[in-house]
Amino acid sequence: MPGGRLTQQERQQIALGLADGLAYAEIARRLDRPTSTITREVMRNGGPTAYRADLAHRATERRAHRRKSSAPRERQASAQPYGRDAEAVREFEEVYAAAMMASGMPLMMGRVLSCLTVSDSGSLTAQELAQRLQVSPASISKAIAFLDSQGMVRRERDERRRERYIVDDEIWYQAMMVSVRSTAQLVETTRQGVDVLGAGTPAAARLEGVARFLDFVSEGMARAAEQARDVLRTSSGPQEAADPEPDDA
């Protein structure tokens, strides 16, 4: 089984396989690579519908260059607790972000949420996020504004008056309820259209069907979120589990 990084030719074969509708396992078999390698490659480079071999190859080269040119202090700051493989963690963050993007979230927002979620503290400053993701503070600010509007992060001031962005046990529940409320508003608006178009007309009947479907799904989502809420509640870990923070961050 070949090792090392994927070649440009292998990436072209991946793109052709995706275009033919092949499963990741089949593409991996043809390239004599682990299925996890193909899955990670596709998800970190746009997902199955947006994967492009040339763009993926250039992105990999840029990531490799960034890692080589990182300052020693930055490498030290990214050291992982519990003996984790720092490179494997970085790769998972990218794959997780790509999976969020495939579900409809903009990529930068997914990268920020992924970074926060896989940190043991679940809490980072804008400077820490920018440093870890190697992006501008403006990109972080835009991503946080979006995530905040969706109820997926919350903001706090720490003892040094720095604004911290936090994901905790309630974040996914709150985000789900934001979606439920948004869907409920869509249901109400859709039903207004029924009156405008005239009950009994084909268009009004179509809208009524949409409203009933969304209403049913929304109620089911709210009920399921309430029932599963306890699943998200984790016990707080030891203090040493929190990510180390640079003194001047």
Side-chain angles (χ1 to χ4, degrees), residues 44-101:
R44 78 193 300 190
N45 290 291
T49 60
Y51 182 84
R52 300 292 182 273
D54 54 342
L55 296 179
H57 197 70
R58 288 200 294 271
T60 300
E61 290 178 339
R62 285 196 300 272
R63 285 192 291 266
H65 177 73
R66 284 201 303 267
R67 286 195 288 268
K68 288 179 181 178
S69 61
S70 294
R73 183 177 177 280
E74 289 179 346
R75 289 198 295 270
Q76 179 62 31
S78 64
Q80 292 291 318
Y82 302 111
R84 294 173 181 142
D85 182 331
E87 179 63 19
V89 172
R90 278 194 295 267
E91 287 190 357
F92 174 73
E93 283 186 19
E94 293 176 5
V95 172
Y96 196 30
M100 292 182 192
M101 182 188 73

Side-chain angles (χ1 to χ4, degrees), residues 66 108 111-112 126-127 129-140:
R66 284 201 303 267
M108 181 52 63
R111 292 188 70 199
V112 169
Q127 183 175 339
L129 283 165
Q131 179 179 317
R132 291 183 183 216
L133 298 176
Q134 294 292 290
V135 297
S136 69
S139 296
I140 298 299

Side-chain angles (χ1 to χ4, degrees), residues 101-124:
M101 182 188 73
S103 72
M105 183 179 293
L107 180 57
M108 181 52 63
M109 291 63 173
R111 292 188 70 199
V112 169
L113 185 58
S114 174
C115 191
L116 285 166
T117 303
V118 305
S119 65
D120 285 301
S121 65
S123 168
L124 295 168

Side-chain angles (χ1 to χ4, degrees), residues 27-242:
I27 296 173
R29 187 189 66 77
R30 294 186 181 191
L31 294 178
D32 196 20
R33 291 275 193 171
T35 301
S36 60
T37 297
I38 307 305
T39 303
R40 182 168 61 247
E41 166 69 14
V42 174
M43 294 308 296
R44 78 193 300 190
N45 290 291
T49 60
Y51 182 84
R52 300 292 182 273
D54 54 342
L55 296 179
H57 197 70
R58 288 200 294 271
T60 300
E61 290 178 339
R62 285 196 300 272
R63 285 192 291 266
H65 177 73
R66 284 201 303 267
R67 286 195 288 268
K68 288 179 181 178
S69 61
S70 294
R73 183 177 177 280
E74 289 179 346
R75 289 198 295 270
Q76 179 62 31
S78 64
Q80 292 291 318
Y82 302 111
R84 294 173 181 142
D85 182 331
E87 179 63 19
V89 172
R90 278 194 295 267
E91 287 190 357
F92 174 73
E93 283 186 19
E94 293 176 5
V95 172
Y96 196 30
M100 292 182 192
M101 182 188 73
S103 72
M105 183 179 293
L107 180 57
M108 181 52 63
M109 291 63 173
R111 292 188 70 199
V112 169
L113 185 58
S114 174
C115 191
L116 285 166
T117 303
V118 305
S119 65
D120 285 301
S121 65
S123 168
L124 295 168
T125 66
Q127 183 175 339
E128 288 165 348
L129 283 165
Q131 179 179 317
R132 291 183 183 216
L133 298 176
Q134 294 292 290
V135 297
S136 69
S139 296
I140 298 299
S141 178
K142 182 177 180 181
I144 289 295
F146 173 86
L147 293 170
D148 191 17
S149 72
Q150 299 300 307
M152 304 196 77
V153 298
R154 61 183 175 85
R155 305 169 189 247
E156 279 187 4
R157 292 280 181 181
D158 62 19
E159 68 281 356
R160 297 168 61 180
R161 305 299 299 165
R162 298 173 304 180
E163 187 170 69
R164 304 193 68 84
Y165 309 120
I166 300 169
V167 293
D168 59 22
D169 292 349
E170 286 289 294
I171 288 300
W172 284 100
Y173 168 78
Q174 295 297 341
M176 184 66 70
M177 297 313 294
V178 168
S179 177
V180 167
R181 289 190 292 271
S182 176
T183 303
Q185 180 60 53
L186 180 58
V187 169
E188 182 179 340
T189 303
T190 302
R191 286 204 162 113
Q192 290 173 7
V194 173
D195 293 335
V196 172
L197 295 169
T201 65
R206 185 180 304 114
L207 282 180
E208 179 59 31
V210 170
R212 292 177 64 187
F213 171 79
L214 292 176
D215 200 18
F216 181 84
V217 170
S218 179
E219 287 183 5
M221 287 172 60
R223 186 164 53 250
E226 287 291 350
Q227 292 172 345
R229 194 173 186 178
D230 285 345
V231 174
L232 293 169
R233 293 183 178 138
T234 56
S235 59
S236 22
Q239 291 298 317
E240 59 268 26

